[in-house]
């Protein structure tokens, strides 16, 4: 059987808070990591939605190591056969009178094994206009992230802003040797108004993205063919070159805006959130050409509900997202100057690529919110995914639709000295319908397009096991150790 194993090892985090008799560090950590926290995630979108944060004072410092591996054929070519990620992180949330302060930071050292047909980071954002080579190899890199924010309550209003910076450096140690430098700046303001049992929130986000790609061949007298991908195994034959070096810049602006409405009364809580996203990415070459532009348009909507059922709490969540990507390409004509110098002049510009992804998800969780007693919780999840890609000239397309369902059982077991938690999940992904039409016959088609299509249309069974142990060390100090393992398999 072909499989993917994901193992989370050596995750040890220390939570530090100002503990009291009514509000101990154990209760704070349990609420922070509770299985139902993802059902009330409005704070992730709106920094002023602090009503959705289940703690008042919390600080965590920790580390983790994640290792994954896939057999041949059971992975996307551009994602490689596995990863190894070592991460150090910290996170904090503090309430002080009418102010709230929050932030998080991390450092990660990672490797991606046997990456093929991409010499860039964030390929999902930049696809299909990637620079690539046929050699591939293992990517190594480091990431740095720093985020901070604050909110202020004035009567029935809460105003907040959150900002973050992320920097990434990645490279390969075999020819050709790409070095990618990525910088991302986020600014996320928001406001929430409370009237009785109702809360109304508005939020926005601006993201500035930039990636510099510099590729070198260090071996003397050796050249590599650089492919400029355009989707469906197509590459720009006019500008793909055999050379010792290549450089490209990706830069863009991303805008998000949305609102949410929440009601909490009679032991029930209901919320609705809508977010609109728009992004424009521009691809610049080292000779000042701007051959490609990408526009992303996305809408996300979610509905959450919580109520009492069978002396426990029932959490429901539905989510729908629609994501459209449009690729605009510019064609150039060569003009010879002084018999030796060639200048590329603008010829035409048009939209030639489009992808549309739709996702619908439903989740239900039945659990006891009193984590000071032994309890068992149950969860079911269902997902429908529809992905369509089109290239207009030549006329190629790919269509994949699948559905997945899973069930999870978890337990919370307080002990004399600590708390033991665990969960086990099992699920199945079924391909409903798929189709691929493409007439190209080249190395990219055989090494990337067809293997990816075979993997994406496979029926997959997946399992997941999680075990966590919390040990109070002293007042206000808790050690949190967890391990996780996952397995995916397919008969094909």
């Amino acid at each position: 059987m072909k499989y993917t194993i994901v193992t989370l090892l050596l995750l040890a985090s220390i939570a530090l808070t100002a503990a009291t008799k009514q509000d101990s560090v154990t209760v704070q950590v349990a609420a922070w990591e509770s299985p139902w926290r993802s059902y009330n995630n409005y704070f992730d979108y709106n920094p002023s939605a602090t009503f959705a944060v289940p703690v008042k004072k919390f600080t965590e410092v920790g580390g983790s190591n994640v290792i994954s591996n896939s057999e041949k054929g059971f992975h996307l070519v551009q994602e490689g056969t596995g990863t190894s990620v070592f991460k150090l992180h910290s996170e904090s949330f503090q309430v002080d009178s009418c102010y709230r302060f929050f932030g998080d930071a991390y450092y990660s050292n990672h490797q991606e094994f046997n990456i093929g047909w991409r010499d860039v980071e964030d390929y999902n954002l930049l696809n299909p206009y990637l620079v690539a080579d046929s050699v591939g190899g293992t990517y190594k890199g480091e990431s740095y992230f720093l985020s901070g924010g604050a909110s202020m309550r004035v009567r029935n209003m809460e105003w907040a802003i959150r900002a973050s910076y992320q920097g990434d450096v990645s490279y390969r140690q075999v020819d050709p040797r790409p070095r990618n430098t990525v910088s991302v700046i986020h600014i996320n303001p928001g406001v929430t108004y409370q009237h009785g049992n109702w809360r109304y929130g508005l939020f926005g986000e601006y993201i500035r993205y930039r990636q510099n790609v510099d590729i070198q061949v260090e071996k003397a007298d050796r050249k590599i063919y650089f492919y400029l991908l355009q989707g469906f195994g197509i590459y720009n034959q006019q500008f793909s070159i055999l050379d010792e070096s290549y450089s490209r810049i990706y830069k863009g602006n991303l805008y998000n805006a949305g609102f949410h409405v929440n009601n909490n009364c009679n032991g029930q809580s209901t919320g609705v959130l809508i977010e609109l996203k728009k992004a424009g990415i521009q691809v610049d070459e080292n000779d000042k050409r701007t051959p490609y532009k990408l526009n992303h348009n996305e809408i996300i909507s979610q509905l959450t509900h919580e109520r009492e059922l069978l002396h426990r709490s029932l959490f429901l969540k539905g989510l729908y997202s629609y994501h459209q990507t449009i690729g605009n390409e510019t064609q150039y004509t060569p003009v010879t100057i002084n018999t030796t110098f060639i200048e590329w002049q603008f010829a035409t510009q048009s939209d030639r690529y489009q992808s549309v992804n739709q996702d619908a998800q439903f989740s239900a969780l039945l659990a006891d919110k009193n984590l000071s007693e032994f309890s068992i919780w149950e969860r079911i999840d269902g997902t429908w995914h529809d992905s369509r890609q089109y290239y207009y000239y030549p006329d190629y397309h790919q269509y994949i639709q699948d559905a997945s369902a899973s069930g999870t059982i978890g337990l919370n077991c307080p002990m004399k000295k600590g708390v033991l938690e665990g969960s086990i999940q099992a699920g199945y992904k079924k391909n409903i319908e798929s189709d691929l039409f493409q007439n190209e016959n080249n190395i990219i088609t055989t090494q990337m397009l067809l293997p990816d299509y075979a993997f994406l249309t496979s029926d997959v069974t997946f399992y997941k096991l999680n075990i966590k142990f919390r040990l109070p060390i002293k007042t206000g100090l808790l050690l949190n150790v967890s391990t996780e393992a996952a397995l995916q398999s397919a008969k094909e």
Side-chain angles (χ1 to χ4, degrees):
M1 291 199 311
K2 304 195 174 186
Y3 64 92
T4 299
I5 298 179
V6 180
T7 307
L8 178 60
L9 300 171
L10 305 177
L11 192 157
S13 60
I14 302 174
L16 307 166
T17 77
T20 65
K21 292 183 179 179
Q22 295 81 15
D23 198 12
S24 68
V25 63
T26 303
V27 175
Q28 293 275 51
V29 174
W32 186 268
E33 299 183 348
S34 61
W36 54 83
R37 189 184 171 199
S38 62
Y39 288 79
N40 195 12
N41 63 341
Y42 300 95
F43 181 70
D44 295 339
Y45 297 87
N46 186 352
S48 68
T50 57
F51 68 89
V53 181
V55 301
K56 292 184 177 181
K57 292 186 177 182
F58 181 89
T59 301
E60 182 183 70
V61 179
S64 64
N65 191 53
V66 179
I67 301 172
S68 69
N69 182 64
S70 302
E71 283 191 348
K72 183 179 179 180
F74 201 56
H75 61 89
L76 293 176
V77 173
Q78 293 175 323
E79 292 186 355
T81 59
T83 60
S84 174
V85 182
F86 172 74
K87 186 175 182 180
L88 299 174
H89 68 272
S90 66
E91 190 170 9
S92 178
F93 183 88
Q94 305 290 329
V95 176
D96 182 14
S97 183
C98 60
Y99 298 97
R100 280 99 175 111
F101 303 96
F102 39 88
D104 59 285
Y106 69 77
Y107 161 79
S108 71
N109 187 299
H110 58 270
Q111 294 188 66
E112 298 173 283
F113 304 112
N114 302 313
I115 294 294
W117 290 106
R118 70 171 174 94
D119 293 330
V120 304
E121 291 293 325
D122 304 314
Y123 83 95
N124 284 319
L125 177 66
L126 309 175
N127 195 57
Y129 302 120
L130 311 179
V131 55
D133 63 79
S134 61
V135 180
T138 295
Y139 252 105
K140 298 183 178 181
E142 294 182 341
S143 299
Y144 308 85
F145 178 83
L146 181 64
S147 172
S151 74
M152 179 180 66
R153 284 190 176 183
V154 181
R155 295 190 178 94
N156 295 333
M157 303 285 289
E158 183 171 351
W159 305 83
I161 188 168
R162 176 167 46 202
S164 68
Y165 172 78
Q166 179 181 343
D168 299 280
V169 177
S170 57
Y171 57 92
R172 284 205 317 247
Q173 293 180 312
V174 296
D175 282 340
R177 306 189 182 203
R179 180 180 175 87
N180 309 89
T181 305
V182 180
S183 61
V184 187
I185 298 174
H186 296 248
I187 300 176
N188 177 208
V191 59
T192 298
Y193 171 72
Q194 182 175 355
H195 179 71
N197 296 321
W198 292 86
R199 290 184 175 91
Y200 308 88
L202 292 173
F203 58 91
E205 186 174 28
Y206 168 72
I207 303 172
R208 176 62 176 173
Y209 180 90
R210 182 183 177 95
Q211 179 176 178
N212 287 23
V213 181
D214 295 296
I215 313 173
Q216 300 288 334
V217 179
E218 293 192 1
K219 187 175 181 179
D221 302 323
R222 183 186 181 189
K223 293 184 178 182
I224 295 291
Y225 196 82
F226 295 103
Y227 295 84
L228 307 189
L229 306 188
Q230 294 178 288
F232 289 98
I234 305 171
Y235 65 97
N236 189 324
Q237 299 185 19
Q238 188 178 43
F239 292 109
S240 296
I241 58 174
L242 183 70
D243 211 336
E244 298 174 348
S245 64
Y246 196 89
S247 63
R248 173 181 276 187
I249 298 174
Y250 296 91
K251 56 185 178 181
N253 298 290
L254 295 80
Y255 304 92
N256 305 335
F259 69 90
H260 59 85
V261 179
N262 303 82
N263 177 266
N264 192 341
C265 65
N266 300 324
Q268 299 185 32
S269 176
T270 303
V272 176
L273 181 142
I274 303 291
E275 182 183 36
L276 302 175
K277 296 184 176 183
K278 187 172 182 61
I281 305 294
Q282 181 172 295
V283 184
D284 290 344
E285 304 291 5
N286 55 3
D287 58 3
K288 308 303 180 183
R289 288 181 295 113
T290 306
Y292 309 110
K293 293 182 180 179
L294 273 168
N295 290 308
H296 293 265
N297 303 296
E298 186 175 2
I299 181 171
I300 297 175
S301 60
Q302 73 173 36
L303 173 65
T304 59
H305 181 70
E306 175 187 348
R307 65 181 303 157
E308 292 185 4
L309 179 67
L310 303 175
H311 305 292
R312 294 195 288 174
S313 295
L314 175 65
F315 301 86
L316 302 174
K317 184 174 183 178
L319 186 145
Y320 171 78
S321 66
Y322 176 93
H323 185 186
Q324 178 193 50
T325 302
I326 298 175
N328 183 277
E329 302 179 14
T330 302
Q331 287 76 45
Y332 296 85
T333 56
V335 177
T336 303
I337 302 175
N338 297 329
T339 69
T340 58
F341 181 75
I342 297 179
E343 182 182 82
W344 297 99
Q345 293 187 356
F346 172 84
T348 62
Q349 187 179 53
S350 61
D351 294 342
R352 302 186 70 176
Y353 171 81
Q354 180 181 217
S355 71
V356 175
N357 289 284
Q358 298 183 77
D359 289 276
Q361 303 174 20
F362 172 78
S363 180
L365 169 69
L366 186 62
D368 188 348
K369 296 180 71 173
N370 182 7
L371 297 176
S372 62
E373 298 180 357
F374 177 85
S375 62
I376 295 177
W377 53 268
E378 304 86 20
R379 175 174 173 170
I380 57 171
D381 295 276
T383 301
W384 171 81
H385 175 71
D386 183 280
S387 176
R388 301 169 187 261
Q389 297 184 63
Y390 307 93
Y391 203 87
Y392 298 127
Y393 183 78
D395 184 15
Y396 297 147
H397 66 263
Q398 177 177 286
Y399 167 51
I400 298 174
Q401 185 180 115
D402 55 60
S404 63
S406 66
T408 308
I409 297 178
L411 65 87
N412 174 69
C413 182
M415 307 167 70
K416 288 184 178 181
K417 293 184 178 180
V419 178
L420 178 66
E421 290 187 359
S423 65
I424 184 169
Q425 179 187 42
Y428 186 71
K429 180 185 78 74
K430 173 67 176 178
N431 178 255
I432 300 173
E433 189 177 356
S434 59
D435 182 49
L436 173 64
F437 174 72
Q438 200 260 41
N439 284 330
E440 294 282 332
N441 184 17
N442 57 50
I443 187 174
I444 306 174
T445 304
T446 57
Q447 292 190 7
M448 185 183 72
L449 179 67
L450 295 179
D452 279 358
Y453 182 74
F455 168 67
L456 291 171
T457 55
S458 297
D459 296 337
V460 177
T461 304
F462 54 93
Y463 310 91
K464 192 174 187 178
L465 175 67
N466 177 277
I467 299 175
K468 183 180 300 181
F469 183 71
R470 301 192 184 99
L471 178 65
I473 299 176
K474 62 179 182 179
T475 302
L477 184 64
L478 182 137
L479 177 66
N480 189 15
V481 181
S482 68
T483 182
E484 183 175 288
L487 170 72
Q488 299 183 61
S489 64
K491 292 181 180 180
E492 299 83 357

